[in-house]
Amino acid sequence: MRHVDDFTIKEVYQMNIESQIMNAAQQAVKALYGQEVPEKMVQLQKTRSEFEGNLTLVVFPFLKISKKNPEQTAQEIGQYLVDNCEAIAAFNVVKGFLNLVIAPAAWLSLLADMDADEHYGEKQATNESPLVMIEYSSPNTNKPLHLGHVRNNLLGWSLAQIMQANGNKVVKTNIVNDRGIHICKSMLAWLKWGNGETPESSGKKGDHLIGDYYVAFDKHYREEIKELVAQGMDEEKAKQEAPLIKEAHEMLVKWEQNDPEVRALWEKMNNWVYAGFDETYKRMGVSFDKIYYESQTYLKGKAKVEEGLAKGLFERHEDNSVWADLTNEGLDQKLLLRSDGTSVYMTQDIGTAEMRFQDYPIDKMIYVVGNEQNYHFQVLSILLDRLGFKWGKELVHFSYGMVELPNGKMKSREGTVVDADDLMQLMIDDALKTSMELGKFADMEEEERNEIARIVGMGALKYFILKVDARKNMLFNPEESIDFNGNTGPFIQYTYARIRSILRKAPSTPSSLSTPSTLNEKEIELIQKMSEYGAAVEQAGKDYSPSGIANYCYELTKVFNQFYHDYSILNEEDEQKRQVRLVIARNVGKIIKNGMALLGIEVPERM
C-alpha cells in the first residue's frame, strides 16, 4: 500500500476528499500506534452544524489500539492529519469526535475536478457492465393510460436512467396486455354501438375511443344484471348469465381459435390504441427499447409449463389443470394452466421471460408493478428459478403504492379515471397560467411561452410523483405541484434558469481556478453538497429510489439559493472570488440538470 505522503499533491487532490482522509487516518493509526486497521473501521460523517469543521472522524473504534482516552486519541490523530495530509487545514476535538477543517485548496481542486467532468458523479457502462432489463407501463389495449400508469411510467423511466448512471447497461421493455376478456368487451361494444366510428371520424385519440366502448360495455352489462336480478335471479349468477358477458366469452373463444373476422377487428382496434399510446408516451417523455405483446407470449408460456411438467417440476391434477406446489417455500399451490388448457397471467409472465431471455443476456430483471402484485412476483421468482433462469431467484419487483385523488380511488370501467392526456394538458395549462400571473413571461414570444409552460408543467407533474417514496400510496394534488417555492419541480427549474441567467450576464467564466485566500462557509457547503451527488446516485441505484435523487436535487437547490441570498456573484469586486463563485454556480446548474434528467425532467434556460 502506498502511504498518503507517497502521493503527489495533484494525485491527492484528484482523489475523493473522503477517500483521501480515510487513507490518511489508516496511516495515522499505523504510525502512531503500530497497527494497521481496515477501511471499514474508519468512520467519516458530515460535521454537525453547531461545530467547526466539514468532516468528522469517529475515533472510538481505535481506543483499544491506542490504549488512551477518546480526547487524547483524537488529538494525536488530528495533529498527524494536519502535519501529513494536505487536505486538512485544522481540527478540533469534541469528546470522541475529531472534527476536520478541509483546506481551501482541496475544495478548489475538487471543484476543478467537477468542472472538468460533464457527468460528474455518474458512471459510464462498459462492455463488461451487467445488463439490467426494466419492465414498466404494461397497459391494457381496452383503455387509455391513466394517472396510475403515469406513476408507473415515470418510475420505470427514472429507474432506467438511475441504473444507467450507476454504470449498468439497460434495456427498457414494455409488455402490452392485448388479449383477454377485457379486450373483447371493448370490441363487442364497438360492434354493437359503434356505427363504424373511427379515430378519424370522431376526432378522438384511438385509445380514448376504445376506452369509451369499454365503459359503454360495462354500462349495458350492469343494466342486464339489474334486469335479471329483478326477475328473481341471484346477482352472482346474473353476472354469468347476462347475454353481453356470454357474447364476450364467445368472442374470446373465437379469438383463441384464430377466427379471421375477430382477429381482423382485434388488429384494427389495437392499432388505433397503439397510435394513441405512442402520442401519450412521447408527451410523457418515456420510450422503450423493446415491446412485447401478451398475444405473442402466452403460447410460449404454455410450452414452458409443459416442459416443466415433463421434468417433474409441476404436477397435473385429475381435471387436467397444471399446478406448481410451493408449500416447501412456505406458499400454497399455484395454478399454471386451467383444466381446458388455457393460460393464466403467471403462464404469460413465464412466456415473456422466455422470450426476453432468448433476446438478451439478462443479468438482472426489474418489474415495475404496483404493490397489489407482491405475491404474484414472489411466486414468479420461484418458478423462474425452478425453470433455470439465472436471474429468476433474484428478480426485483419494484413495488410501488397506488395514486389516490382527493375524492377517492379511480375505476376505469366506470369512467372515473384521471386520464393521462387530460392530466398532462391540465399541468401545462396551469403552468402557463401561473407563470403569466407571476409576470415571468412578459418579454417572451408565444412559442417560447408555450414551450416553457410545457417544460414546467411536465416537470411539476413528474417531480410531485417521483419525490414520494415509491413504496407509499400517494395523494396527487395538481395545485400543490405548480408552485415556484418549496419542494417542487418548478422551484428547482427556476433555480436552474436563474443560474443560466447569471452565467449569460457574466463578462467571462474562468477556464481554470486560482486559489483564493479563503472560501466562505456557504461556498464550502455548496462544493461539499455537490460532491455528494455521486453518493446520491449510487444510493438511489442500490435502493431503486428515484425519490432519493429528487430529494438530493431539492437540497442542493436550497443550499444554492441560501448562498445566492447571502452573497453576490456578479457584483463581487474581488476577481478571484467572483470567478470561483461563477464556477460554483456553473456546476450547481450542471448537477441540477443531470440530476433532474435522471427523473426525466427537463430544465429551461430561462423562466
Side-chain angles (χ1 to χ4, degrees):
M1 179 186 292
R2 290 171 73 187
H3 296 168
V4 170
D5 50 4
D6 290 334
F7 289 96
T8 67
I9 290 178
K10 183 178 179 184
E11 282 178 303
V12 167
Y13 283 167
Q14 286 176 339
M15 294 168 62
N16 175 288
I17 287 177
E18 290 193 19
S19 299
Q20 180 191 341
I21 294 171
M22 290 176 78
N23 285 337
Q26 286 175 285
Q27 184 59 28
V29 173
K30 183 180 179 184
L32 293 167
Y33 311 121
Q35 188 170 326
E36 292 190 0
V37 293
E39 189 177 286
K40 64 182 180 182
M41 279 185 69
V42 184
Q43 299 174 21
L44 274 180
Q45 55 198 34
K46 283 186 75 171
T47 302
R48 286 166 56 178
S49 58
E50 62 264 36
F51 301 119
E52 181 189 5
N54 309 114
L55 291 170
T56 296
L57 178 69
V58 183
V59 302
F60 293 108
F62 310 133
L63 299 185
K64 285 186 179 179
I65 300 169
S66 70
K67 297 181 173 58
K68 296 177 181 178
N69 65 42
E71 288 79 3
Q72 190 176 355
T73 303
Q75 193 73 32
E76 290 176 351
I77 294 175
Q79 192 60 55
Y80 180 94
L81 293 178
V82 167
D83 294 342
N84 294 277
C85 184
E86 293 277 354
I88 306 300
F91 72 94
N92 63 84
V93 176
V94 179
K95 297 183 178 178
F97 298 94
L98 172 58
N99 300 323
L100 303 170
V101 178
I102 309 300
W107 289 124
L108 264 293
S109 179
L110 177 59
L111 179 61
D113 288 344
M114 288 179 199
D115 196 46
D117 187 350
E118 201 56 38
H119 289 278
Y120 173 82
E122 299 178 11
K123 298 173 185 171
Q124 300 298 314
T126 67
N127 291 334
E128 288 71 45
S129 295
L131 177 64
V132 179
M133 180 175 280
I134 302 176
E135 174 196 293
Y136 58 96
S137 200
S138 309
N140 296 324
T141 57
N142 64 320
K143 56 190 175 185
L145 303 178
H146 56 61
L147 177 54
H149 290 113
V150 172
R151 190 178 199 191
N152 179 294
N153 280 278
L154 297 184
L155 287 169
W157 175 265
S158 179
L159 186 60
Q161 309 316 304
I162 290 168
M163 296 307 287
Q164 205 163 315
N166 275 284
N168 298 286
K169 291 180 285 189
V170 174
V171 175
K172 305 182 293 292
T173 68
N174 185 0
I175 174 70
V176 178
N177 302 306
D178 64 342
R179 62 174 289 276
I181 190 67
H182 51 295
I183 311 298
C184 291
K185 289 177 180 179
S186 294
M187 291 164 60
L188 183 60
W190 184 84
L191 280 177
K192 285 182 172 294
W193 306 295
N195 297 314
E197 185 178 28
T198 67
E200 291 75 22
S201 69
S202 64
K204 293 179 181 177
K205 282 176 76 238
D207 51 336
H208 287 251
L209 180 68
I210 301 308
D212 289 345
Y213 285 102
Y214 183 61
V215 173
F217 178 94
D218 191 66
K219 178 186 173 186
H220 287 87
Y221 177 42
R222 286 169 177 270
E223 289 171 358
E224 288 186 350
I225 294 169
K226 190 176 180 181
E227 194 173 321
L228 290 172
V229 170
Q231 294 171 11
M233 188 179 290
D234 173 76
E235 185 175 350
E236 286 305 311
K237 189 175 182 184
K239 289 178 181 177
Q240 298 169 14
E241 295 297 325
L244 267 177
I245 200 68
K246 284 189 170 184
E247 283 188 76
H249 278 291
E250 288 169 10
M251 181 177 277
L252 179 59
V253 171
K254 287 181 179 179
W255 185 93
E256 297 253 359
Q257 294 171 344
N258 280 313
D259 179 279
E261 286 187 17
V262 171
R263 284 282 179 146
L265 176 63
W266 171 76
E267 285 188 15
K268 177 170 72 174
M269 295 179 69
N270 272 354
N271 284 334
W272 293 345
V273 174
Y274 298 146
F277 284 172
D278 286 346
E279 281 186 49
T280 306
Y281 288 139
K282 184 177 180 181
R283 196 174 204 188
M284 203 182 294
V286 304
S287 61
F288 310 93
D289 300 306
K290 178 82 174 181
I291 297 179
Y292 293 89
Y293 299 90
E294 218 174 83
S295 56
Q296 298 169 356
T297 67
Y298 81 106
L299 291 176
K300 287 265 187 185
K302 288 173 70 172
K304 200 69 183 171
V305 169
E306 293 287 355
E307 181 187 312
L309 187 64
K311 292 179 179 177
L313 301 175
F314 310 130
E315 56 188 43
R316 192 183 295 280
H317 287 191
E318 288 182 9
D319 65 352
N320 205 41
S321 59
V322 177
W323 296 72
D325 185 354
L326 305 176
T327 51
N328 286 342
E329 282 85 1
L331 305 174
D332 55 11
Q333 295 200 352
K334 183 65 183 178
L335 175 67
L336 299 180
L337 289 175
R338 299 187 186 94
S339 55
D340 61 2
T342 56
S343 62
V344 294
Y345 276 117
M346 189 64 70
T347 326
Q348 290 149 198
D349 275 347
I350 291 170
T352 308
E354 169 78 355
M355 290 182 73
R356 287 170 173 162
F357 193 71
Q358 290 170 352
D359 292 341
Y360 298 95
I362 303 167
D363 295 298
K364 184 181 284 292
M365 182 72 214
I366 303 175
Y367 294 87
V368 181
V369 182
N371 56 19
E372 75 279 5
Q373 295 292 327
N374 285 352
Y375 180 75
H376 175 90
F377 283 98
Q378 190 180 359
V379 171
L380 180 63
S381 175
I382 295 168
L383 296 180
L384 292 179
D385 183 56
R386 279 192 194 179
L387 289 165
F389 294 93
K390 66 174 184 176
W391 44 266
K393 186 178 288 186
E394 296 176 355
L395 75 77
V396 176
H397 173 207
F398 182 78
S399 173
Y400 63 90
M402 295 297 99
V403 186
E404 296 178 357
L405 302 162
N407 58 352
K409 295 183 179 180
M410 300 180 292
K411 295 181 181 177
S412 55
R413 66 177 178 274
E414 295 175 14
T416 59
V417 301
V418 174
D419 179 82
D421 294 310
D422 293 344
L423 175 62
M424 288 189 286
Q425 189 58 53
L426 170 69
M427 299 297 293
I428 294 167
D429 291 345
D430 282 356
L432 182 61
K433 180 184 174 186
T434 303
S435 297
M436 294 286 278
E437 289 171 352
L438 294 172
K440 294 184 180 295
F441 288 167
D443 61 339
M444 295 185 192
E445 297 293 328
E446 183 179 2
E447 186 178 349
E448 186 180 12
R449 285 202 300 266
N450 290 338
E451 175 62 5
I452 293 176
R454 180 193 66 79
I455 291 172
V456 173
M458 291 304 299
L461 170 64
K462 292 179 179 185
Y463 188 85
F464 194 90
I465 286 176
L466 292 173
K467 73 177 181 179
V468 178
D469 182 343
R471 294 166 294 185
K472 296 179 179 178
N473 287 353
M474 67 170 292
L475 186 71
F476 181 75
N477 189 330
E479 292 177 9
E480 289 181 14
S481 65
I482 301 281
D483 192 336
F484 287 83
N485 297 295
N487 190 4
T488 67
F491 171 67
I492 297 171
Q493 290 172 317
Y494 183 67
T495 299
Y496 176 81
R498 169 184 277 169
I499 290 170
R500 297 303 296 169
S501 175
I502 293 167
L503 296 174
R504 282 194 297 271
K505 292 174 183 174
S508 65
T509 52
S511 56
S512 62
L513 286 169
S514 55
T515 307
S517 56
T518 59
L519 285 172
N520 68 51
E521 183 183 325
K522 294 294 182 184
E523 289 166 337
I524 291 172
E525 187 181 6
L526 264 174
I527 297 171
Q528 188 168 10
K529 193 67 188 175
M530 285 190 285
S531 76
E532 295 167 11
Y533 177 60
V537 171
E538 185 176 342
Q539 196 62 47
K542 287 178 181 176
D543 297 341
Y544 308 113
S545 175
S547 64
I549 298 296
N551 292 329
Y552 171 83
C553 288
Y554 175 57
E555 291 299 323
L556 176 61
T557 302
K558 279 199 303 182
V559 175
F560 176 82
N561 280 305
Q562 187 60 56
F563 165 76
Y564 186 73
H565 177 269
D566 293 346
Y567 297 96
S568 175
I569 297 177
L570 294 176
N571 294 327
E572 170 56 54
E573 294 180 359
D574 185 301
E575 176 69 15
Q576 281 188 333
K577 288 184 178 181
R578 183 171 68 252
Q579 296 297 331
V580 167
R581 289 175 189 178
L582 283 168
V583 175
I584 288 174
R586 180 165 70 199
N587 283 277
V588 170
K590 177 180 73 181
I591 290 175
I592 286 175
K593 183 176 183 178
N594 291 346
M596 294 291 267
L598 296 185
L599 304 175
I601 298 174
E602 300 169 77
V603 284
E605 288 295 304
R606 68 182 194 133
M607 282 174 68

